[in-house]
Amino acid sequence: MSSAGPRSQSAGQERARQLAGELRLVVRQLRYEQLSFWRNRFGAIFTVGFSVVFLLLLAAGGGTQRSSALGGIEEIQYYVPGFAAYGVMSACYNNLGIQIVVRRQTGLLKRLRLSPIATWVLFGAVLANAAVVSVVQVGLLLAIGRLGFHVVLPHAWLAFALAVLVGIASFAALGVAVSTLVPSQESAGPIISLVFFILLFLSGLWFPLTPGSGLAQVANYFPIHHLIVAFFAPFDTLPGASPWAWHDLGVVALWGVVATVVALRRFEWDPRRN
Amino acid sequence: MTGRAPLGSTAVEVDGLTKRYGAVEALRGVSFTVAVGEVFALLGPNGAGKTTTVEILEGFRRRDGGTVTVLGVDPAGRPRSLRQRLGIVLQECAVESNLTVREVLARNAGFYPDPRPVDEVVELVGLGEKADSRVARLSGGQQRRLDVGLGIIGRPELVFLDEPTTGFDPSARRGAWDLVRSLTAGGTTVILTTHYMDEAEALADRVAVVAAGRVVAQGPPSSLGGRDVGEAKIRFALPDGVEPAALPVDVRSVPSGFEVSTTEEVEVLHALTSWSIAHHVPLVGLTVERLTLEDVYLRLTAASGAPLPAGSATVERATGSKDRARRAGARRA
């Protein structure tokens, strides 16, 4: 770049200045997204409250039992990463998917598309919002686990952070992708949440799956079980197991890539009429 | 703030615009121009192509053919510099329900280089008392006004209003009309779609009637389709016992009595009133009526193959051609 003249230098500065402006706009949008999310009590309770309440219920109802499926560790040590994974999936897949359908069908997406805001700024803020909600939940569940039930925190923080990151990215892509398959606002909740909760049930959130069981084989095809495993591994509670669940992270990421392709190909801005 | 185009120069130019959705030809060569500072109304039945036309002008949809210039720019690539100069009010009230009126306006103001102050817009759309209410708690009419507020927050040079008063009560409509007039007083160009004739008549400097993907007529609402010079309707009733065959002109029976459609209303009236005086037979409830904008609209849209709206006597004889209508009227007279 040293050979560049003053003109291209100032053009570069101009681009940098524009980029800084756009990033400020992302932060600004994010603030309004956050306001909107936390004020929507139903959504906030369903997403954040749900994971906390279920963790507490499961912990109260025998969470200190030792699990034979998990080499004799306390079940609560499994539920904390499990519900942290649920929190990420709920914020990124369930909440984001429904939110996009509602926004599309009410014309909100169209209006934003017509406004001068850049598409990447818009999506940057929406995805950042889902990421913030996810991280808040993960933090909350770790805190409850540590303070309330003396759960051991992840030893391999880097592996845990990577699992959170891959989870947010892949399930946000799944949320956007599933929104393109839903035809109307009324069917958003039933379609998106029903799929989610059935798969959650099959995927070992409520009880650890016994490796090699029929249920475990079914769950293997879907990303939910793998994300739970990837969240659990960095706690390093099983002797001899690696905190880096590469295989599971790979499956989750693969789902994310496929979802991204579907989302990019099928995304629509205007309300779908039936 | 960049300099705005002077009043009277061209704001929008559309020529030979075509668009198809699969096998359906939505637009089949739409052409019109809109001058800066003008209120231009697109009239037409549902599915005629109004919304598609507007969406292409807004840059939301791509056209298949023809040329389009909006504020001197082709909107096809949705350049941001153009979007910053447009204000758009959609049919749907699309606003995040958990934010307050002020928050939504402030957020959108941030998208534009030189927005109007939020408080000014709040007052302009009459939401002063609701400024800190959440959008979810607004009535339908108030949400619509917020929508309009969002459309003008960026100080637009051109505003698109898509059926701005559908579902309004009469006083809310008057309020919305006043708001549109205050926009144009500031030199803003307005393109609106509507199927209310009184709205087009009250607001528009010029209208274009769109039917089956074509502009079938355009001009000022007062002279659209030749209604200022076209035929008039003379209506009256006869006392019991008087047969219409006794009249000096051919008439049609209508529920209220008899009717003559003619372009020579002076001559026909003269013949009728002379006969009335000579024979001492009153013409009860005699009225002369010009075609309403709605009559003209129904003729134009019916003639171009759109489905016939019920309840208009003129539609049955619609020809779509001024000359033929005139000849037919003269024959009946």
Side-chain angles (χ1 to χ4, degrees):
Chain A
M1 291 308 274
S2 58
S3 63
R7 236 183 75 208
S8 69
Q9 199 176 24
S10 71
Q13 279 172 354
E14 175 63 21
R15 268 199 301 280
R17 203 183 54 79
Q18 269 180 5
L19 188 66
E22 305 265 89
L23 287 174
R24 268 198 304 278
L25 208 51
V26 174
V27 174
R28 206 168 165 279
Q29 273 298 101
L30 175 60
R31 222 186 71 217
Y32 289 108
E33 291 287 343
Q34 282 281 302
L35 268 180
S36 217
F37 176 82
W38 295 107
R39 278 186 193 162
N40 174 9
R41 287 201 203 102
F42 183 76
I45 288 171
F46 203 66
T47 306
V48 181
F50 199 85
S51 56
V52 172
V53 168
F54 265 92
L55 179 67
L56 294 176
L57 283 177
L58 285 166
T64 48
Q65 284 174 10
R66 299 196 174 264
S67 163
S68 56
L70 289 170
I73 63 163
E74 284 186 12
E75 281 182 351
I76 186 74
Q77 187 67 56
Y78 174 79
Y79 286 136
V80 167
F83 277 92
Y86 164 84
V88 170
M89 295 185 284
S90 168
C92 295
Y93 167 82
N94 199 46
N95 193 63
L96 183 64
I98 292 173
Q99 184 200 62
I100 290 176
V101 173
V102 170
R103 288 182 176 190
R104 185 189 71 213
Q105 293 303 107
T106 54
L108 223 134
L109 283 184
K110 182 175 177 183
R111 150 161 274 154
L112 286 167
R113 176 77 169 165
L114 290 165
S115 82
I117 194 170
T119 303
W120 78 264
V121 170
L122 189 67
F123 270 87
V126 167
L127 297 177
N129 183 58
V132 168
V133 175
S134 300
V135 170
V136 165
Q137 288 194 88
V138 170
L140 201 60
L141 292 168
L142 289 184
I144 291 172
R146 179 83 195 99
L147 301 174
F149 306 100
H150 310 290
V151 164
V152 180
L153 291 184
H155 283 143
W157 277 106
L158 221 53
F160 188 71
L162 180 70
V164 172
L165 196 70
V166 170
I168 288 173
S170 295
F171 278 84
L174 283 163
V176 180
V178 79
S179 79
T180 69
L181 306 175
V182 177
S184 71
Q185 203 175 331
E186 292 72 33
S187 55
I191 294 178
I192 295 175
S193 301
L194 200 67
V195 169
F196 184 46
F197 280 94
I198 289 173
L199 286 178
L200 273 177
F201 187 77
L202 298 179
S203 297
L205 177 64
W206 317 109
F207 48 87
L209 297 178
T210 311
S213 67
L215 207 53
Q217 282 173 4
V218 173
N220 254 334
Y221 291 103
F222 297 100
I224 295 179
H225 172 66
H226 293 288
L227 191 67
I228 294 172
V229 172
F231 269 54
F232 175 70
F235 285 73
D236 220 4
T237 38
L238 296 181
S242 164
W244 300 87
W246 290 119
H247 168 74
D248 300 284
L249 285 172
V251 174
V252 174
L254 187 64
W255 272 89
V257 169
V258 172
T260 305
V261 172
V262 171
L264 289 175
R265 289 180 69 111
R266 290 185 49 95
F267 194 81
E268 284 170 16
W269 296 89
D270 49 347
R272 209 172 287 171
R273 309 264 175 240
N274 302 301
Chain B
M1 182 86 229
T2 52
R4 294 184 169 214
L7 286 180
S9 58
T10 303
V12 171
E13 191 160 17
V14 178
D15 189 27
L17 183 61
T18 58
K19 173 77 186 176
R20 57 167 58 242
Y21 298 114
V24 181
E25 269 187 287
L27 301 179
R28 304 192 277 181
V30 168
S31 305
F32 59 84
T33 59
V34 182
V36 170
E38 204 173 29
V39 178
F40 187 81
L42 285 166
L43 286 176
N46 290 331
K50 301 186 302 276
T51 301
T52 300
T53 303
V54 168
E55 284 177 345
I56 290 170
L57 298 186
E58 292 165 348
F60 187 73
R61 233 170 262 294
R62 293 222 164 218
R63 63 182 183 267
D64 292 337
T67 58
V68 177
T69 312
V70 176
L71 302 175
V73 183
D74 184 342
R78 348 176 14 254
R80 181 156 1 154
S81 53
L82 176 61
R83 281 184 283 148
Q84 286 173 339
R85 299 161 70 196
L86 303 180
I88 290 160
V89 181
L90 301 169
Q91 279 174 42
E92 299 90 359
C93 293
V95 186
E96 286 86 346
S97 54
N98 289 308
L99 299 179
T100 68
V101 168
R102 203 187 296 279
E103 283 164 353
V104 173
L105 286 168
R107 186 197 61 181
N108 279 34
F111 302 164
Y112 299 90
D114 178 34
R116 279 192 168 97
V118 169
D119 289 325
E120 183 188 311
V121 173
V122 166
E123 290 308 319
L124 208 57
V125 296
L127 287 173
E129 287 172 9
K130 293 284 178 182
D132 295 310
S133 297
R134 300 226 186 136
V135 172
R137 307 219 176 97
L138 301 182
S139 72
Q142 288 167 336
Q143 285 193 13
R144 202 81 185 107
R145 276 186 271 158
L146 173 58
D147 252 3
V148 174
L150 289 170
I152 61 175
I153 187 87
R155 230 184 271 280
E157 292 169 56
L158 169 61
V159 175
F160 292 95
L161 299 170
D162 200 0
E163 299 185 5
T165 64
T166 298
F168 275 28
D169 65 46
S171 77
R173 295 185 74 201
R174 299 289 153 146
W177 291 356
D178 287 341
L179 189 62
V180 173
R181 290 193 190 105
S182 72
L183 285 179
T184 52
T188 305
T189 310
V190 176
I191 294 182
L192 70 100
T193 67
T194 184
H195 31 233
Y196 294 127
M197 298 304 131
D198 55 342
E199 185 156 288
E201 210 150 18
L203 292 178
D205 298 307
R206 285 192 308 122
V207 305
V209 177
V210 183
R214 281 201 185 88
V215 174
V216 291
Q218 57 178 316
S222 59
S223 62
L224 191 79
R227 61 185 277 236
D228 53 338
V229 293
E231 67 191 51
K233 280 182 193 151
I234 298 167
R235 285 202 192 102
F236 54 90
L238 291 171
D240 288 345
V242 182
E243 288 302 314
L247 290 167
V249 294
D250 290 339
V251 297
R252 298 192 313 132
S253 271
V254 291
S256 62
F258 301 98
E259 182 184 283
V260 185
S261 296
T262 175
T263 51
E264 281 125 16
E265 65 268 27
V266 175
E267 290 82 350
V268 172
L269 267 179
H270 183 71
L272 280 170
T273 50
S274 306
W275 175 86
S276 165
I277 293 164
H279 294 83
H280 302 288
V281 178
L283 300 171
V284 182
L286 175 66
T287 59
V288 182
E289 220 175 70
R290 294 232 145 262
L291 287 181
T292 62
L293 185 58
E294 188 157 355
D295 290 331
V296 173
Y297 166 81
L298 288 172
R299 282 186 177 200
L300 288 165
T301 51
S304 44
L308 287 184
S312 170
T314 50
V315 170
E316 298 162 19
R317 294 173 286 107
T319 60
S321 148
K322 199 165 124 187
D323 287 341
R324 271 159 65 198
R326 187 167 276 160
R327 276 200 305 278
R331 202 165 51 239
R332 274 193 301 278

